[in-house]
Amino acid sequence: HKASRMEKEAAESREYVARLAEEHPWIAAEKQLFGAAGSDYDWKARNPAEAHAELTAAEEAQAGLAKRINKKVIAMFDKAESEFKALQEKRRIVLN
């Protein structure tokens, strides 16, 4: 009974991993790094609790910054910058 339950759990786990790989293309691209020493996926060198604390701190910092940034002004700046680059390219074409 215990063996059949473990086989069922293993099959469910394989299906879950396959579904994750299908939903997230980066998994296939970085799979060879999973568990590799010195990589971002070095499970022995990374402490999960520490990584979770880092993530929480980064999310809090991002939330704090988002409150101070005017998104409309950023969008306007990005648009003006892209227009400037387009004009520079046109100028370069005309001068050459």
Side-chain angles (χ1 to χ4, degrees), residues 26-85:
W26 64 266
I27 292 175
E30 297 191 16
K31 189 173 186 175
Q32 73 277 4
L33 299 175
F34 291 173
S39 72
D40 288 337
Y41 309 104
D42 185 358
W43 313 129
K44 293 177 182 169
R46 271 314 260 179
N47 180 356
E50 203 174 279
H52 188 270
E54 272 182 53
L55 173 64
T56 303
E59 287 174 341
E60 288 173 0
Q62 182 181 15
L65 289 173
K67 291 177 184 175
R68 291 186 273 168
I69 295 175
N70 187 340
K71 290 179 177 52
K72 187 174 180 180
V73 171
I74 298 280
M76 289 171 55
F77 177 78
D78 288 342
K79 183 180 177 188
E81 188 177 35
S82 65
E83 288 175 0
F84 176 73
K85 287 181 181 178

